[in-house]
């Protein structure tokens, strides 16, 4: 697999009054939740900018592939926009990967936030542009987000603090300690990148996975596929976020333990990352240390400049 890994590029952190641009790279969304989410961002002290074309609906997509990609390219090129937050996930982000202007994105690094299906975009921003991207809440999920989710997002966008995370319901699947850059996101989405030119390399990395609405046997099947494809070779640590509506937590841990029993890497489950009630923002591409014994994921540096 050809590697596109670039030197790390940290985006500028936000200041009060900065403008956040909203994109819809995947599925259409609820106007009501969108408006509530915009109000949350404004309550944090930011201006919010979006084009009315963001509300276009084309079946299960928020507009054509060309339109959705163009929104992303334009917002990265717009000097007035200091950060980009996705409206919603769903499906469709991987369809725009071949249409993005990666050279222009590298010239205008900025904060980019999303999760779920948006994991495809977070991954390529990391691997093709070296840009630190943020796995965190989107506009529509901010509508009903709790204080912990909102506080973590605000801290990630504005603070120079080195992030340290502890799982809310920690489960040590495999003990140990390891360091490496953080990669990962939604398991289903990243599994579907396997075999494409956009599949990331996890060699030397700490990887996190999360998912929603996938039965235990499908979690097993996706991990098995990635393992057979060689995607999971060389990773140095594994973190499990929330697996909402995926069956019993014990079963997810059992599947993971079996899949990685010979890997000799620390594996820690129970983090509030993903589709759960709380969704803590986590930067991709930054070096961190996973200490499964102490149940800590500690970043070595801040994610913004």
């Amino acid at each position: 697999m050809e590697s596109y890994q670039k030197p790390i590029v940290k985006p500028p952190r936000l200041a009060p009054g900065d403008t956040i641009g909203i994109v819809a790279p995947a599925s259409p969304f609820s106007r009501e939740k969108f408006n509530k989410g915009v109000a949350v961002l404004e309550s944090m002290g930011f201006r919010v900018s979006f084009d009315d074309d963001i509300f276009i609906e084309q079946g299960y997509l928020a507009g054509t592939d060309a339109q959705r990609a163009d929104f992303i390219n334009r917002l990265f090129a717009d000097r007035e926009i200091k950060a980009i937050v996705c409206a919603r996930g769903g499906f469709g982000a991987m369809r725009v990967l071949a249409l993005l202007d990666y050279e222009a994105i590298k010239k205008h690094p900025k904060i980019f936030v999303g999760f779920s299906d948006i994991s495809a975009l977070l991954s390529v921003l990391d691997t093709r542009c070296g840009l630190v991207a943020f796995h965190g809440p989107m506009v529509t999920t901010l509508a009903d987000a709790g204080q912990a989710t909102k506080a973590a997002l605000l801290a990630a966008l504005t603070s120079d603090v080195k992030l340290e995370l502890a799982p809310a319901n920690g489960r040590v699947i495999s003990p140990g300690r390891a360091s490496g850059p953080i990669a990962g996101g939604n398991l289903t989405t990243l599994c579907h990148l396997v075999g494409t030119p956009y599949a990331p390399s996890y060699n030397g990395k700490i990887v996190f996975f999360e998912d929603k609405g996938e039965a235990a046997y499908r979690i097993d099947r996706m991990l098995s596929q990635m393992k057979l494809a060689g995607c999971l070779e060389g990773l140095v640590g594994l973190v499990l976020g929330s697996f909402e509506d995926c069956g019993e937590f014990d079963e997810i841990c059992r599947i993971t333990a079996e899949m990685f029993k010979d890997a000799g890497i620390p594996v820690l489950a129970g983090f509030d990352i993903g589709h759960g009630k709380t969704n803590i923002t986590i930067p991709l591409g930054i070096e961190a240390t996973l200490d499964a014994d102490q149940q800590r994921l500690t970043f070595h540096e801040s994610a913004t400049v």
Side-chain angles (χ1 to χ4, degrees):
M1 182 188 304
E2 187 176 356
S3 174
Y4 288 92
Q5 188 67 41
K6 305 293 183 183
I8 186 172
V9 178
K10 296 183 184 182
R13 66 182 61 103
L14 295 186
D18 279 348
T19 300
I20 295 175
I22 310 298
V23 293
S27 294
F29 47 86
S30 158
R31 290 266 192 133
E32 180 183 0
K33 286 190 174 182
F34 179 83
N35 291 335
K36 286 182 178 179
V38 167
V40 170
L41 292 174
E42 290 175 338
S43 73
M44 293 179 178
F46 304 118
R47 296 186 176 93
V48 177
S49 174
F50 56 89
D51 193 301
D52 282 343
D53 285 350
I54 199 174
F55 300 114
I56 291 173
E57 295 188 20
Q58 186 162 322
Y60 47 76
L61 299 170
T64 68
D65 295 345
Q67 286 170 330
R68 301 193 323 279
D70 183 58
F71 280 140
I72 297 171
N73 289 332
R74 283 195 284 117
L75 287 189
F76 267 106
D78 188 340
R79 296 184 183 278
E80 295 301 312
I81 301 297
K82 304 303 182 184
I84 302 170
V85 178
C86 294
R88 187 201 163 187
F91 171 74
M94 67 187 299
R95 290 177 53 144
V96 307
L97 298 183
L99 303 175
L100 297 181
D101 188 342
Y102 295 106
E103 291 305 315
I105 291 171
K106 283 190 285 188
K107 291 176 183 175
H108 304 98
K110 56 188 67 176
I111 289 169
F112 188 94
V113 188
F115 76 108
S116 192
D117 188 64
I118 307 301
S119 294
L121 290 169
L122 303 179
S123 179
V124 296
L125 290 175
D126 173 24
T127 58
R128 293 219 168 183
C129 303
L131 178 63
V132 175
F134 295 82
H135 185 282
M138 296 176 284
V139 178
T140 52
T141 62
L142 279 172
D144 303 315
Q147 187 55 38
T149 299
K150 291 186 282 191
L153 175 65
L154 182 62
L157 302 186
T158 64
S159 174
D160 61 354
V161 173
K162 300 175 186 177
L163 190 64
E164 181 173 278
L165 301 179
N169 301 292
R171 177 81 63 88
V172 179
I173 295 175
S174 180
R177 190 172 186 271
S179 298
I182 296 292
N186 181 255
L187 175 60
T188 299
T189 302
L190 295 173
C191 184
H192 288 151
L193 291 181
V194 173
T196 75
Y198 303 97
S201 167
Y202 296 134
N203 187 47
K205 296 184 178 180
I206 297 170
V207 177
F208 75 91
F209 290 131
E210 64 84 34
D211 222 316
K212 179 180 181 179
E214 298 290 348
Y217 77 89
R218 293 202 293 266
I219 301 293
D220 188 317
R221 182 167 60 195
M222 287 185 282
L223 289 173
S224 295
Q225 179 185 353
M226 296 179 81
K227 186 175 182 178
L228 288 170
C231 300
L232 303 179
E233 292 178 8
L235 61 84
V236 298
L238 181 66
V239 168
L240 297 186
S242 59
F243 281 78
E244 198 78 356
D245 302 324
C246 293
E248 293 296 323
F249 180 56
D250 287 351
E251 180 70 355
I252 301 299
C253 291
R254 185 196 66 76
I255 291 167
T256 306
E258 183 180 0
M259 199 68 60
F260 293 91
K261 63 184 178 182
D262 299 322
I265 61 171
V267 182
L268 182 60
F271 284 82
D272 282 335
I273 302 170
H275 287 81
K277 184 177 180 182
T278 301
N279 184 13
I280 302 300
T281 302
I282 179 171
L284 277 67
I286 297 290
E287 290 263 350
T289 294
L290 172 63
D291 190 328
D293 304 305
Q294 297 298 317
Q295 298 197 17
R296 286 289 186 275
L297 180 65
T298 306
F299 287 77
H300 298 178
E301 53 189 320
S302 64
T304 56
V305 292

